[in-house]
């Protein structure tokens, strides 16, 4: 956040209570409010405003218009010893995961690997939230999700996939997390918006225009579609995520998912989360990982997840900050 | 293969017997010869000469110099109900997977998801070979592997990872495979060689020179290192593969892996393979996948794996072709 803008600072506890109140004021059940507040504050505390409080208006509007069921009770079923299926019942994505979490962890630790597959959900917010929690339980975690179509591949004009992110996390013995959370798109939509506002050109490979031609114009890109990162290989990653997150779970393909920002229909998105128990394979995994992280850093490699961990440590000490304008707008909704 | 070069055509059965004889002539056990011959012919029949018979000289030289144990007996242990660990005992990667395969499939079908983790192996050849076999058993499969260092990230000169590929496969109800098998590098090393021979420039983002500076000169790139595809996001994929394939399995990190093309030391590479039983989540998965593949193709999307499937169908009918020079060179080794 810019230092010259007025801010409201909140402790993590106060921020969580505030987010809960906002959800409850929009008619959610206490369980929904609590699950969403935890995820929102976690993202914010890890420095991810856009999937933290910056994303909350999408949820609140979703509760108001009906595209998120305000009191959905997820239906969690262990369909096989290492496999949990969850019908999110058109509600938020976080609650089903919360409900399944202890059993998912236990399954992975006992069986070696275990899976959580959810369909019929709203988009999942910060995907790294799910993998981070599993990594904190000593698991190596992978997650995949989809949602409304936003992304295409070279030669196409119609969006085929959502940003289809992958998240990955593992904890070292020293408690440091290696944590990847990245879209399959070359950039985030907000970067097109910023470039358009600034009148700047965008790099090749970021987007196509409305006709499906690659463009360097941010304004034309806003009428077009994001491209996958890394050309054909990135497009393959987006497709793989689509099959894992939507195909396996039985969720809507991105092509069939309703807009998560407007309307009264749930996107019916999917999410697949895998936890693996490394200690069953190698008791020294966590210390080996820590040594390798140290070695890579000594070689000059930037390790993904470091900035988020530092932001979180700061947030635990100092709380989180919201732009005062956003805080006031939220505050008006709970009074 | 070029049409103007003389070729030797072999049925798949004859090609398999030929590859077996070559291995046996280099002192391997029958089990090693058989496992490697099957993988070699499968890759070749899927149109992948460079990981088929084109790769066999690396194995034969490996048997001769001792960097591949000629009669290694893999030690396969089910360390947890959904988790198989395999010590390849410095032998080939394929034999341990063959031994574990029926139990891996059975575990996945019964438990929902199951894992195979191998360390102490030679590089695995065509990674798609492993995922394809699981997909043919009705599983959705993921695989990750590492090996000798060949790949770096922007700003570095030293190779940090092997090409660190990912493979993914799933079968539709009609029997068609969606199959991804791609390196984390922007291109294959052989493409640098070809460009250098042709005196052509290489695209930005393919490689750095010996000093770690990005280069468009193929000749300078040959003294340097391959770059990950797609910038920072691709570098993260390479790192994720490293943690999954080497970290989780207890294999050598790529930084510590001996050269797979020279010397007497095993690279001690790792491979992680995951199988997921989609029907336990959604009975209609295979038909839904087929419909989605049809829809994506109608929208103009090229589906990865299609060319390999077509090559394989042709190879079943017509056999495979080897350059006559290569065939004669092999032949001389078994007589």
């Amino acid at each position: 956040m810019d230092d010259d803008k007025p801010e409201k600072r909140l402790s993590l506890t106060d921020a969580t209570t505030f987010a809960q109140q906002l959800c409850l004021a929009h008619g959610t059940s206490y369980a929904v409010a609590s699950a969403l507040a935890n995820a929102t504050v976690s993202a914010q505390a890890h420095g991810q405003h856009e999937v933290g409080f910056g994303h909350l208006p999408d949820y609140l509007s979703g509760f108001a218009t009906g595209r998120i069921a305000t009191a959905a009770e997820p239906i969690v079923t262990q369909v096989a010893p290492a496999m949990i299926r969850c019908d999110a019942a058109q509600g938020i994505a976080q609650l089903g995961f919360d409900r399944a979490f202890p059993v998912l962890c236990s399954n992975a630790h006992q069986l070696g690997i275990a899976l959580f597959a959810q369909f019929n959900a709203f988009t999942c917010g910060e995907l790294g939230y799910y993998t981070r929690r599993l990594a904190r339980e000593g698991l190596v975690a992978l997650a995949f999700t989809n949602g409304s179509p936003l992304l295409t591949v070279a030669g196409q004009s119609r969006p085929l996939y959502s940003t289809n992110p992958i998240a990955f996390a593992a904890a070292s013995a020293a408690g440091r997390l290696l944590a990847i959370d990245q879209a399959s798109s070359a950039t985030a939509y907000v970067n097109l918006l910023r470039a358009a506002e600034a009148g700047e050109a965008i790099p090749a490979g970021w987007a196509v225009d409305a006709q499906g031609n690659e463009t360097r114009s941010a304004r034309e890109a806003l009428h077009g579609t994001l491209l996958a990162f890394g050309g054909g290989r990135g497009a393959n990653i987006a497709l793989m995520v689509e099959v894992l997150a939507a195909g396996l779970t039985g969720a809507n393909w991105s092509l069939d998912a309703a807009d998560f920002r407007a309307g009264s229909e749930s996107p019916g998105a999917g999410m697949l989360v895998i936890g693996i128990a490394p200690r069953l394979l190698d008791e020294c995994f966590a210390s080996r990982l820590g040594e390798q992280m140290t070695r890579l850093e000594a070689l000059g490699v930037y390790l993904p997840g470091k900035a988020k961990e530092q932001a979180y440590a700061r947030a635990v000490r100092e709380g989180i900050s919201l732009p005062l304008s956003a805080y006031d707008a939220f505050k008006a909704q709970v009074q």
Side-chain angles (χ1 to χ4, degrees), chain A residues 256-330:
Chain A
D256 303 319
D259 189 346
F260 75 96
R261 289 193 192 257
S264 60
E265 194 184 340
S266 168
M271 177 167 71
L272 191 82
V273 185
I274 295 170
I276 306 171
R279 281 174 210 160
L280 297 174
L281 286 169
D282 178 358
E283 283 183 9
C284 302
F285 170 78
S287 56
R288 282 183 78 229
L289 178 65
E291 288 158 18
Q292 175 72 354
M293 288 169 73
T294 301
R295 177 157 66 150
L296 288 174
E297 281 192 323
L299 290 170
V301 177
Y302 178 80
L303 295 182
K306 186 172 181 180
K308 289 184 191 178
E309 287 293 291
Q310 290 171 339
Y312 185 70
R314 200 165 51 240
V316 168
R317 290 194 310 271
E318 303 171 11
I320 55 118
S321 290
L322 299 180
L324 193 59
S325 56
Y327 175 76
D328 287 341
F330 282 135

Side-chain angles (χ1 to χ4, degrees), chain A residues 196-207:
Chain A
E197 279 168 16
E200 292 168 0
I202 56 171
W206 272 22

Side-chain angles (χ1 to χ4, degrees), chain A residues 36-272:
Chain A
L36 185 56
N38 288 338
T40 299
V41 173
S42 179
Q44 187 78 31
H46 283 84
Q48 306 295 295
H49 178 74
E50 277 152 22
V51 280
F53 278 91
H55 193 20
L56 201 52
D58 298 320
Y59 284 96
L60 301 179
S61 134
F63 293 135
T65 62
R67 71 180 176 276
I68 313 177
T70 51
E73 264 307 314
I75 303 158
V76 178
T77 317
Q78 184 154 332
V79 295
M83 183 177 256
I84 294 170
R85 183 175 60 200
C86 180
D87 176 352
Q90 311 203 348
I92 61 169
Q94 292 85 357
L95 182 57
F97 186 78
D98 286 357
R99 292 273 166 79
F101 185 74
V103 177
L104 177 63
C105 291
S106 164
N107 287 349
H109 282 298
Q110 284 176 40
L111 303 172
I113 184 169
L115 177 146
F116 171 82
Q118 180 167 264
F119 64 105
N120 206 12
F122 192 65
T123 52
C124 75
E126 189 204 11
L127 189 62
Y129 175 62
Y130 306 89
T131 46
R132 204 158 57 220
R133 288 172 64 185
L134 293 172
R136 288 286 173 221
E137 300 293 324
L139 299 169
V140 173
L142 282 162
F144 311 92
T145 194
N146 82 324
S148 323
L150 292 163
L151 174 65
T152 194
V153 301
Q156 309 302 315
S157 58
R158 180 174 173 177
L160 302 168
Y161 315 120
S162 89
T163 54
N164 282 23
I166 285 180
F168 170 81
S172 76
R176 274 192 69 189
L177 282 194
L178 191 68
I180 296 166
D181 178 3
Q182 65 185 28
S184 295
S185 53
T187 193
Y189 190 76
V190 68
N191 291 329
L192 300 187
L193 277 175
R194 283 180 190 149
E197 279 168 16
E200 292 168 0
I202 56 171
W206 272 22
V208 293
D209 65 18
Q211 285 73 47
N213 300 311
E214 273 213 42
T215 183
R216 304 289 301 274
S217 157
R219 283 168 213 276
E220 286 179 10
L222 288 180
H223 298 287
T225 306
L226 293 172
L227 278 169
F229 82 103
R233 293 189 189 200
N236 285 344
I237 298 286
L239 174 60
M240 179 182 86
V241 172
E242 185 75 11
V243 175
L244 290 168
L248 259 176
T249 64
N252 282 342
W253 300 109
S254 298
L255 277 166
D256 303 319
D259 189 346
F260 75 96
R261 289 193 192 257
S264 60
E265 194 184 340
S266 168
M271 177 167 71
L272 191 82

